[in-house]
Amino acid sequence: MRKKQNVQEEPDDIYSIPAIADRAVSQPECVIPEAVVKRLPRYFRCLRGLLNNDVMKISSSELSDLTGVNAAQLRQDLKYFGGLGQRGYGYNVKKLYTSISEQLGVTKKYTAVLIGAGNLGRAIINSRLCEQRGVWIKAVFDGSPSVIGKEIGDRKVSDVAELRRFCRENKTDIAVLCIPADAKSELLGIIKDCGFKGVWNFSPCELDDCDAGAKVENICTGDSLSALLYRMCEDEREKE
Amino acid sequence: MRKKQNVQEEPDDIYSIPAIADRAVSQPECVIPEAVVKRLPRYFRCLRGLLNNDVMKISSSELSDLTGVNAAQLRQDLKYFGGLGQRGYGYNVKKLYTSISEQLGVTKKYTAVLIGAGNLGRAIINSRLCEQRGVWIKAVFDGSPSVIGKEIGDRKVSDVAELRRFCRENKTDIAVLCIPADAKSELLGIIKDCGFKGVWNFSPCELDDCDAGAKVENICTGDSLSALLYRMCEDEREKE
DNA sequence: TAGATTGTTAATCGATTAACAATC
DNA sequence: TAGATTGTTAATCGATTAACAATC
């Protein structure tokens, strides 16, 4: 099994959004392969952790220990961010972090609305996850009269019937969907109208880009549990 | 882009746990490759949806439309579940669902404890996700005096100091971790002592199997947001 | 110069897909 | 028998990794 250590979510991160002056100038020379893109968020977290601990340089083999990614693969991956490594020395952590942040859109400061102010919605607002990725949740909407008007995380919950108008008046990049399965069909039309660039979907109904008229990222919590159960079963089978 | 349709979480699922009599007898002949395992949860969801709509047979090309997985690949994948297909006819949905459920451990009826009774913990209890996967949450623990003793989803929240004793007296398969980042280090020792087979980790600190002495599945919500932002940026770059 | 570490090549491995023979 | 659809082969594609020359 691959060994990974210390790739953590740092609770306090002074470096969460790089200052303009620090931004990398170089753009990746060509399209980044899918497999590399999937590893970027891990590098991002790891490098942020290093910066918070004032580590300024790192070699591919050290970063390999921290992330569990093979050192040779790491060097291949990091090539997509311009020549940030120096032979005999290693990589400049800050430059690397800045360059990857830029790729991941952290420096763009996207805006978002949260739709669905239930327990999950509250959990997302309270975790500072969105801020860490440069996403600012401007407003919260819900359909249930029992929550409309209440406050969550300093934001007053508005009626979802107001969503269309709100988005017309306030251009918003992202919709964070925390709604129950049955609310999907009624909402889909509204969401298309709002012209979001992205939808971060926690609801148990998978969406695709066509459904939403935007880039969609589904969080399939159930699939993650299934994967865990599979590996537990596999383990038991092996022990027999 | 791949087209996928209708792969949904069905809210009411009479078939969520197959009866003993329906269980598949055949075991996969050899180890299922990683790439196939990753697709199993999607097949599981899709087949459950079909069963709930009384669809009893399906061809690889129909299932391909529903799941977005290439039909040839689907047939390759399904071979790992014994000869459940019939040439000229298609696959028996129920047998296929039963066989995949068994692989995914749904029929095992694992038990779990939920650690952390904040908004996220509440959201997990209220969603019926665990039940759908055959996992029964027996008890809920938290460290904060303000929640201990309160009820969430018919379960009284116990002091996390009781966890060790509880697990000694009640053998438990899984820990569902919904704790803040800073609670990790104190909890890790306790978790190892409890002898769980699996840890489903929602906390922002990634764990590995060694940390926990069990199979670990991390839900890295932040990585999912990063992936969305990346694709949004990519889209904007292309349009320039 | 000597030591360290990158950048790059090339071999290997695994995953995807089209095509079609087998067969219901 | 004719039509449909699987099971299986083989080609292709992309991802991983070891090894080492280049160079700081």
Side-chain angles (χ1 to χ4, degrees):
Chain A
M1 209 208 67
R2 274 189 190 159
K3 212 180 153 201
K4 57 189 160 165
Q5 301 158 349
N6 276 336
V7 182
Q8 302 185 359
E9 194 73 34
E10 292 284 323
D12 290 308
D13 47 326
I14 45 168
Y15 289 103
S16 78
I17 299 177
I20 306 275
D22 290 332
R23 291 194 190 165
V25 212
S26 61
Q27 286 299 315
E29 288 127 55
C30 47
V31 159
I32 304 178
E34 201 51 40
V36 180
V37 170
K38 282 217 195 85
R39 285 187 289 267
L40 292 187
R42 162 160 290 186
Y43 300 156
F44 171 78
R45 273 186 285 133
C46 186
L47 292 166
R48 192 180 53 200
L50 290 170
L51 273 183
N52 285 337
N53 291 305
D54 296 313
V55 179
M56 286 308 171
K57 78 141 260 227
I58 194 153
S59 71
S60 59
S61 70
E62 288 169 315
L63 200 52
S64 171
D65 287 344
L66 291 171
T67 58
V69 176
N70 176 291
Q73 188 165 68
L74 251 165
R75 291 199 297 277
Q76 296 262 37
D77 288 359
L78 298 185
K79 280 298 298 184
Y80 289 99
F81 300 95
L84 299 177
Q86 257 189 304
R87 290 172 211 239
Y89 172 82
Y91 295 88
N92 178 313
V93 176
K94 197 162 191 175
K95 279 187 188 167
L96 209 47
Y97 175 70
T98 305
S99 189
I100 291 180
S101 298
E102 212 158 280
Q103 277 299 308
L104 292 180
V106 172
T107 55
K108 292 245 174 174
K109 309 207 176 178
Y110 285 119
T111 54
V113 288
L114 176 72
I115 306 173
N119 287 314
L120 186 58
R122 273 163 217 275
I124 291 169
I125 291 261
N126 292 339
S127 86
R128 314 224 337 122
L129 215 110
C130 287
E131 283 90 330
Q132 283 177 337
R133 264 72 182 178
V135 172
W136 179 47
I137 298 180
K138 287 197 296 188
V140 180
F141 295 87
D142 200 294
S144 155
S146 61
V147 248
I148 294 167
K150 295 242 169 78
E151 285 225 343
I152 82 171
D154 290 338
R155 293 163 190 86
K156 206 164 149 197
V157 180
S158 308
D159 191 328
V160 75
E162 300 286 311
L163 179 58
R164 247 195 210 101
R165 194 180 50 74
F166 179 89
C167 289
R168 235 188 344 258
E169 291 168 8
N170 306 270
K171 190 123 187 49
T172 307
D173 302 306
I174 298 169
V176 183
L177 281 196
C178 301
I179 54 170
D182 49 30
K184 177 199 173 189
S185 48
E186 337 161 24
L187 257 176
L188 221 51
I190 304 184
I191 285 173
K192 270 196 164 170
D193 290 348
C194 290
F196 298 114
K197 289 177 190 158
V199 172
W200 195 26
N201 180 30
F202 284 81
S203 91
C205 297
E206 258 188 301
L207 298 181
D208 64 28
D209 292 10
C210 297
D211 288 333
K215 300 284 164 194
V216 174
E217 177 77 17
N218 295 291
I219 302 229
C220 291
T221 322
D223 288 5
S224 160
L225 179 54
S226 288
L228 175 63
L229 299 180
Y230 176 82
R231 281 194 293 132
M232 288 167 59
C233 285
E234 193 182 36
D235 203 37
E236 289 170 26
R237 277 192 290 266
E238 273 168 20
K239 280 178 185 159
E240 273 163 19
Chain B
M1 208 208 66
R2 276 189 191 157
K3 213 181 153 202
K4 57 188 162 168
Q5 301 158 349
N6 277 335
V7 182
Q8 302 184 0
E9 195 73 35
E10 292 284 323
D12 290 307
D13 47 326
I14 45 168
Y15 289 104
S16 79
I17 299 176
I20 306 274
D22 291 332
R23 289 191 191 168
V25 211
S26 61
Q27 286 298 315
E29 288 128 56
C30 48
V31 159
I32 304 179
E34 199 51 40
V36 180
V37 170
K38 282 218 194 86
R39 284 186 289 267
L40 293 188
R42 163 161 290 187
Y43 299 156
F44 170 78
R45 274 185 285 130
C46 187
L47 291 167
R48 190 179 56 200
L50 289 171
L51 273 181
N52 285 336
N53 290 305
D54 296 314
V55 178
M56 286 307 169
K57 79 143 261 225
I58 194 154
S59 70
S60 59
S61 70
E62 287 170 315
L63 201 52
S64 171
D65 287 345
L66 291 170
T67 59
V69 176
N70 177 289
Q73 189 164 68
L74 251 165
R75 291 199 297 274
Q76 298 262 37
D77 288 358
L78 299 185
K79 281 297 298 184
Y80 289 100
F81 299 95
L84 298 177
Q86 257 188 303
R87 290 173 209 237
Y89 173 82
Y91 296 88
N92 178 313
V93 176
K94 197 162 192 175
K95 280 187 186 165
L96 209 47
Y97 175 69
T98 305
S99 189
I100 291 180
S101 297
E102 212 157 279
Q103 277 299 307
L104 291 181
V106 172
T107 57
K108 293 243 176 177
K109 307 206 175 179
Y110 285 120
T111 54
V113 289
L114 176 73
I115 306 172
N119 287 314
L120 187 57
R122 275 164 215 275
I124 289 168
I125 292 260
N126 292 339
S127 86
R128 314 225 335 124
L129 215 111
C130 287
E131 283 89 329
Q132 284 178 336
R133 263 74 181 175
V135 173
W136 180 47
I137 298 180
K138 287 199 294 189
V140 180
F141 296 87
D142 200 294
S144 156
S146 60
V147 249
I148 294 167
K150 294 244 169 79
E151 285 226 343
I152 82 170
D154 290 337
R155 294 162 189 87
K156 208 165 148 194
V157 180
S158 308
D159 191 328
V160 75
E162 300 287 311
L163 180 59
R164 248 196 210 99
R165 193 180 51 72
F166 178 88
C167 288
R168 237 189 343 260
E169 292 167 9
N170 307 269
K171 190 124 187 47
T172 307
D173 302 305
I174 299 169
V176 183
L177 282 195
C178 300
I179 55 171
D182 48 30
K184 177 199 174 188
S185 47
E186 337 162 25
L187 256 176
L188 223 48
I190 305 184
I191 285 174
K192 269 196 165 169
D193 290 347
C194 290
F196 298 114
K197 289 177 190 158
V199 173
W200 195 27
N201 180 30
F202 285 81
S203 91
C205 296
E206 256 187 302
L207 298 180
D208 64 30
D209 292 10
C210 297
D211 289 334
K215 300 283 161 192
V216 174
E217 176 78 18
N218 296 292
I219 302 230
C220 291
T221 321
D223 288 5
S224 159
L225 180 55
S226 287
L228 174 64
L229 299 181
Y230 176 81
R231 282 193 294 131
M232 287 167 60
C233 286
E234 195 182 36
D235 203 38
E236 288 169 26
R237 277 193 289 266
E238 273 168 19
K239 280 178 184 160
E240 270 162 20

